[in-house]
Amino acid sequence: MQLENRLESIVKKVRSYHPDPNIPQLRDAYEYARRMHEGQTRKSGEPYLTHPLEVMDIIADLRLDVASLVAGLLHDTVEDTETTVEDLRIRFGDDVAFLVDGVTKLSKFEFNTRQEAQAENIRKMIIAMSRDLRVILVKLADRLHNMRTLKYMSSSGQERKAQETMDIYAPLAHRLGLHWVKTELEDLSFRYLFPEAYYEIAEKVASKKRQRQSFIRKVISILDDLLREHKIVAEIYGRPKNFWSIYRKMRHQQIEFEQVFDVLAFRIIVDERAQCYEALGLVHNLWKPIPGRFKDYIAISKPNGYQSLHTSVIGPYQERIEIQIRTQAMHKVAEEGIAAHWLYKEGKAVPDRDDEKFAWLHRLMEEHQDHEDPVEFLESVKIDLFHDEVYVFTPQGDVLSFPSGATTVDFAYAIHTEVGHHCSGAKVNGKMVPLKTQLQNGDIVEILTHKNQRPNKDWLSFVKTGRARTKIQKTVRTEQRERSRQLGRELLDKELKQYNTNIRAWERSGKLDEALELSRFGTLEEMLGEIGYGKAQADIIVDKIYGDSDAEEAEKKKKKESAGKLGQIWNKIVDRGRTGVVLDGIEDVMVTYAKCCNPVPGDDIIGFVTRGRGLSVHTRECSRVSHLEKERQIDVRWANDTEVPDSARRPVSVRVYCTDKPGLLANISQSFTKAGVNISQAQCVTTDDRRAVNTFEVLVHNRDQLKKAMRNIEKIKGVYKVERATN
């Protein structure tokens, strides 16, 4: 009965905004979901049906249509019951079937790693989302309720889900203009990623609740009197900023909570656009504005359609406050996001290719077509969803937005792929600048091109947008493959000359087909590429046709010829099985651990076959991995329960940002000792504002030991941030 009552309250909410909802279909979907999930429970012990009902309620808060509501009720039936997509299509129609399929994980496929599975699921969702935006809205509702009930998962599951939410789903909500969804997802993720910091901020915000409410009432009263005096009718609200935004400011500026001044934000909602600027002038006349803190998102709206004026001022009692000013129509877009301007085509919510609000989505889809590797696609998505943006101008006055830190090369690729490929120079505000120059708000950028210019691999070290990185990587790899094939052709022809023949003669005689079959290559181009990369030896391939027929002698020759070359590495690797190399954490002649990221047992790692120096192991997060040739990368994993002995513990650099006060360094050192971590080297740098940056090189057995030490240090009063440092 309790679940039926919950359904009725949601139906009532739907009727409040929908002119003519198909209530019988909603009830039919409820009965179907109840029957399919009968006997299933959540980790909390509640009937499983509570989850789809709560997802449906969030979808109603987003004010979506009946098909979306039904999809919310049925979104887990295909994944967790015997129901098929076709079953849903027959009973509930094409729309519902498509939406459910779009949010259903690829659980029936096998993936090599969890990261690859995550990447493919995100890719599938974005492809479906490009056809119908309701897919991502249903998925966001699903993720929001899962995050609200995350406490019932294991700690490792909590951290993984929270990180994925912070990386993908909160930025997606931001891009779609769903501010309330974004902020709740961020705070829920923050709670599980940095629990000590979360509860400390929550406690401090709660301790000043009565004082804050009194201050909010006072500011609203002052603003209301001011606007009424000038005959401007307005709604005024005040609220504290969400915990994650407070923490981000503390971390970015390396300050403590008490030093975060503009914790409060006020919103003024007026009727007309002109009144926004009039209200802004009155506020600035009343209270002193803080330089550099004014942003006009009305004249230059955000890519998701968000419009508002933002300013920070010194308010009553010399308190810093942020004020946002917008119209009712702008407020509707800010609150409802993408749902405020649906575009229906054949019953689906389709993003218009000509609408600037959806340009970022079409860019993602273009990059999807260029990415062979799903993990690279996911990294590209994360970059393009990054929400700190700068706005720059073309010479014609058009406005383009980029992630913070983007360069002139990113700008060039945003104009056109060919402009990026042939970019030879750039002018910013009329002056010539290096290509790696980072763009600032308001810059006017002009790109210079030359027909002989080609993408440079070094560009990958400074470009920020997924589009630029994808296009550069694709071109560089294509050129590398072509060079490898050319080298492979030269090496193979050189071997064939000893037998008075060449590749063309082999093709005519049929010996090439024989060589491809014996060497297990599909095509000549594939074989030449592998020879050029050093993964196959031309002399061994030729010997298979002309050489010694004795298999044992041929194998001895193969090992002898490949000594000191890549073949020696591959001889070792091929015996390890399809799962890749299994590492015990100790360096040897064949395996070394990259100094740039210093991987330790427990890290997610990848191997790189070097030329003549064995296998180099990096963490997958290492910034240098994206620059490594894809063809030379190989999956590696740690042996089960890997923990290196004391004599071979792995070095790692840890950086600690803190206040400069007596005894703090000793407390940090003691935290390392308690975790069993040995400090081999320390470097401490202090600044004029009584802050310190301490870099420790420590020796650890594995990642869990390192994380334990870092968590202990984070709890020390006066420590702002602890991070694993890379070279």
Side-chain angles (χ1 to χ4, degrees):
M1 180 59 71
Q2 187 176 1
L3 293 177
E4 282 82 355
N5 291 340
R6 187 76 183 97
L7 173 67
E8 292 309 314
S9 69
I10 298 170
V11 167
K12 185 177 179 181
K13 184 185 294 185
V14 173
R15 282 194 167 116
S16 71
Y17 71 83
H18 198 298
D20 185 26
N22 187 344
I23 301 303
Q25 188 181 37
L26 289 179
R27 292 202 170 101
D28 183 34
Y30 169 80
E31 289 300 325
Y32 188 88
R34 184 185 60 77
R35 191 167 68 255
M36 289 298 104
H37 289 298
E38 192 169 9
Q40 295 180 351
T41 57
R42 303 199 80 210
K43 291 184 184 296
S44 62
E46 296 175 302
Y48 193 88
L49 189 58
T50 58
H51 170 62
L53 270 172
E54 293 307 316
V55 171
M56 181 190 181
D57 186 48
I58 295 169
I59 292 170
D61 288 334
L62 293 171
R63 303 170 68 87
L64 301 188
D65 61 354
V66 171
S68 303
L69 293 160
V70 171
L73 271 172
L74 304 175
H75 74 277
D76 276 335
T77 54
V78 173
E79 189 174 335
D80 295 336
T81 76
E82 298 300 315
T83 302
T84 66
V85 173
E86 190 57 32
D87 292 337
L88 297 182
R89 181 175 288 108
I90 292 169
R91 182 157 182 165
F92 298 102
D94 291 342
D95 259 18
V96 171
F98 179 82
L99 295 177
V100 172
D101 186 45
V103 298
T104 299
K105 294 175 186 170
L106 302 171
S107 54
K108 295 180 181 170
F109 292 86
E110 293 185 6
F111 299 100
N112 294 326
T113 64
R114 177 181 283 152
Q115 189 180 20
E116 185 179 322
Q118 177 204 36
E120 277 295 4
N121 281 314
I122 297 294
R123 189 206 294 259
K124 176 182 184 237
M125 182 182 68
I126 288 177
I127 293 169
M129 168 183 161
S130 70
R131 293 173 56 191
D132 193 327
L133 280 166
R134 292 174 294 180
V135 169
I136 188 57
L137 297 173
V138 173
K139 184 61 183 177
L140 282 172
D142 174 40
R143 177 52 60 108
L144 181 54
H145 184 251
N146 280 332
M147 290 300 295
R148 287 173 177 174
T149 56
L150 200 59
K151 64 182 179 181
Y152 298 107
M153 288 189 70
S154 65
S155 58
S156 61
Q158 289 172 347
E159 189 173 336
R160 188 174 66 252
K161 283 278 187 188
Q163 191 63 60
E164 183 184 59
T165 300
M166 194 70 89
D167 288 345
I168 300 294
Y169 292 100
L172 267 173
H174 170 75
R175 281 291 193 180
L176 295 168
L178 300 168
H179 180 76
W180 69 272
V181 176
K182 166 195 168 263
T183 54
E184 187 173 352
L185 287 175
E186 284 178 342
D187 278 355
L188 288 168
S189 301
F190 176 33
R191 176 180 171 184
Y192 293 100
L193 291 174
F194 305 100
E196 295 90 352
Y198 173 87
Y199 286 110
E200 182 180 357
I201 290 174
E203 184 180 342
K204 288 181 177 179
V205 169
S207 68
K208 296 185 176 182
K209 183 177 180 180
R210 184 174 298 177
Q211 178 185 345
R212 187 176 62 250
Q213 288 177 336
S214 174
F215 182 78
I216 288 173
R217 285 194 297 270
K218 181 174 182 63
V219 171
I220 290 175
S221 176
I222 293 171
L223 289 173
D224 188 52
D225 289 344
L226 176 69
L227 296 174
R228 283 179 183 276
E229 183 183 344
H230 291 82
K231 295 182 171 50
I232 298 176
V233 178
E235 297 175 20
I236 306 170
Y237 306 98
R239 57 173 178 79
K241 290 185 175 179
N242 66 310
F243 295 165
W244 173 245
S245 68
I246 295 172
Y247 176 71
R248 225 173 28 156
K249 180 167 287 192
M250 289 169 59
R251 195 168 61 173
H252 177 68
Q253 298 181 5
Q254 296 185 21
I255 57 178
E256 296 190 24
F257 177 84
E258 289 72 20
Q259 296 170 285
V260 181
F261 295 110
D262 49 348
V263 175
L264 296 177
F266 291 84
R267 189 172 294 153
I268 299 173
I269 303 171
V270 296
D271 292 330
E272 299 174 7
R273 176 172 172 150
Q275 291 177 327
C276 293
Y277 293 96
E278 187 179 353
L280 176 71
L282 293 171
V283 169
H284 281 182
N285 191 49
L286 176 66
W287 292 317
K288 185 177 180 179
I290 299 171
R293 297 289 297 165
F294 169 65
K295 294 177 182 176
D296 187 345
Y297 293 122
I298 293 179
I300 302 175
S301 60
K302 289 191 175 186
N304 59 15
Y306 175 88
Q307 289 184 292
S308 190
L309 298 178
H310 288 199
T311 186
S312 291
V313 298
I314 307 295
Y317 312 117
Q318 297 301 298
E319 288 280 353
R320 295 189 181 197
I321 57 175
E322 181 183 296
I323 298 177
Q324 301 169 2
I325 308 171
R326 62 178 74 139
T327 66
Q328 293 284 359
M330 294 172 191
H331 184 62
K332 178 179 173 65
V333 172
E335 291 298 299
E336 298 180 21
I338 223 72
H341 28 227
W342 285 113
L343 299 167
Y344 283 100
K345 293 181 182 178
E346 298 177 0
K348 294 182 179 179
V350 182
D352 191 334
R353 183 165 289 276
D354 297 326
D355 194 324
E356 291 182 4
K357 292 184 291 292
F358 305 110
W360 61 275
L361 176 55
H362 297 303
R363 281 200 303 272
L364 285 185
M365 288 311 305
E366 287 173 10
E367 281 148 23
H368 152 68
Q369 295 166 4
D370 289 335
H371 275 294
E372 299 171 4
D373 185 347
V375 178
E376 281 187 5
F377 171 71
L378 182 58
E379 290 308 308
S380 170
V381 169
K382 289 179 183 178
I383 291 168
D384 272 356
L385 292 178
F386 192 71
H387 57 265
D388 287 341
E389 294 157 332
V390 294
Y391 297 86
V392 299
F393 295 88
T394 68
Q396 292 74 35
D398 296 327
V399 182
L400 299 177
S401 66
F402 294 92
S404 178
T407 65
T408 59
V409 174
D410 294 293
F411 182 94
Y413 276 101
I415 299 298
H416 194 279
T417 300
E418 289 304 310
V419 174
H421 283 348
H422 299 291
C423 173
S424 59
K427 288 182 179 181
V428 174
N429 303 323
K431 296 180 180 179
M432 289 295 299
V433 296
L435 290 177
K436 63 181 179 182
T437 299
Q438 293 188 357
L439 305 176
Q440 305 297 324
N441 273 318
D443 281 346
I444 300 173
V445 185
E446 181 182 354
I447 299 299
L448 309 178
T449 60
H450 192 282
K451 62 180 181 180
N452 294 330
Q453 177 68 45
R454 298 296 299 157
N456 190 325
K457 191 175 180 180
D458 292 341
W459 292 357
L460 292 170
S461 65
F462 58 76
V463 294
K464 291 292 182 183
T465 59
R467 178 182 178 84
R469 183 170 298 279
T470 301
K471 300 297 183 184
I472 295 166
Q473 285 175 333
K474 184 180 181 183
T475 303
V476 168
R477 284 175 186 160
T478 300
E479 291 176 350
Q480 285 176 339
R481 278 196 289 266
E482 186 54 37
R483 285 197 296 270
S484 295
R485 291 188 190 114
Q486 289 293 337
L487 178 59
R489 184 176 291 276
E490 291 173 14
L491 292 172
L492 184 57
D493 261 335
K494 183 179 178 182
E495 287 297 324
L496 290 174
K497 279 182 182 177
Q498 298 179 38
Y499 297 92
N500 297 317
T501 187
N502 56 41
I503 295 175
R504 288 188 178 180
W506 256 26
E507 287 181 296
R508 289 194 298 270
S509 67
K511 287 189 179 297
L512 176 60
D513 292 335
E514 185 181 348
L516 291 173
E517 185 176 352
L518 289 171
S519 303
R520 297 184 180 180
F521 289 114
T523 64
L524 171 62
E525 295 300 306
E526 182 186 347
M527 181 172 73
L528 295 178
E530 294 295 281
I531 294 172
Y533 272 111
K535 295 180 181 178
Q537 261 84 57
D539 55 347
I540 294 175
I541 292 171
V542 172
D543 281 350
K544 288 180 185 291
I545 305 299
Y546 300 112
D548 191 346
S549 60
D550 188 295
E552 188 175 334
E553 288 300 316
E555 184 63 24
K556 286 180 181 177
K557 181 178 180 182
K558 174 182 176 182
K559 289 183 178 180
K560 182 179 177 182
E561 291 292 330
S562 62
K565 299 179 181 178
L566 278 173
Q568 185 180 6
I569 302 167
W570 288 99
N571 289 341
K572 184 171 182 177
I573 290 172
V574 292
D575 293 332
R576 299 300 187 110
R578 292 186 178 181
T579 56
V581 182
V582 180
L583 304 176
D584 59 8
I586 304 175
E587 289 194 25
D588 60 23
V589 177
M590 303 303 298
V591 178
T592 58
Y593 298 92
K595 298 292 188 290
C596 51
C597 53
N598 287 320
V600 298
D603 282 339
D604 195 7
I605 52 176
I606 190 166
F608 178 71
V609 181
T610 66
R611 288 184 169 90
R613 290 180 289 107
L615 187 69
S616 176
V617 179
H618 295 255
T619 64
R620 285 191 182 270
E621 290 77 20
C622 178
S623 59
R624 298 192 182 181
V625 168
S626 62
H627 308 326
L628 302 178
E629 298 169 24
K630 189 67 181 175
E631 292 78 1
R632 288 177 166 270
Q633 293 178 20
I634 183 170
D635 283 336
V636 294
R637 61 183 176 84
W638 301 104
N640 291 335
D641 303 321
T642 297
E643 184 171 293
V644 297
D646 288 343
S647 60
R649 284 184 291 180
R650 301 287 311 136
V652 181
S653 292
V654 176
R655 190 168 291 129
V656 181
Y657 299 86
C658 60
T659 55
D660 180 19
K661 65 179 183 181
L664 192 56
L665 193 59
N667 291 339
I668 294 171
S669 176
Q670 191 175 17
S671 292
F672 278 124
T673 303
K674 281 183 179 178
V677 174
N678 183 47
I679 302 174
S680 60
Q681 187 176 333
Q683 181 183 19
C684 305
V685 179
T686 59
T687 59
D688 294 337
D689 57 351
R690 296 188 60 78
R691 303 194 182 285
V693 180
N694 307 302
T695 305
F696 301 91
E697 184 170 292
V698 298
L699 300 173
V700 299
H701 289 291
N702 54 42
R703 185 169 179 260
D704 289 341
Q705 186 186 32
L706 176 63
K707 288 179 70 174
K708 180 182 177 183
M710 292 173 68
R711 286 197 196 100
N712 289 342
I713 295 169
E714 282 181 336
K715 296 175 183 176
I716 299 173
K717 187 173 179 60
V719 171
Y720 305 125
K721 180 182 177 183
V722 183
E723 65 181 9
R724 186 168 166 180
T726 56
N727 296 330

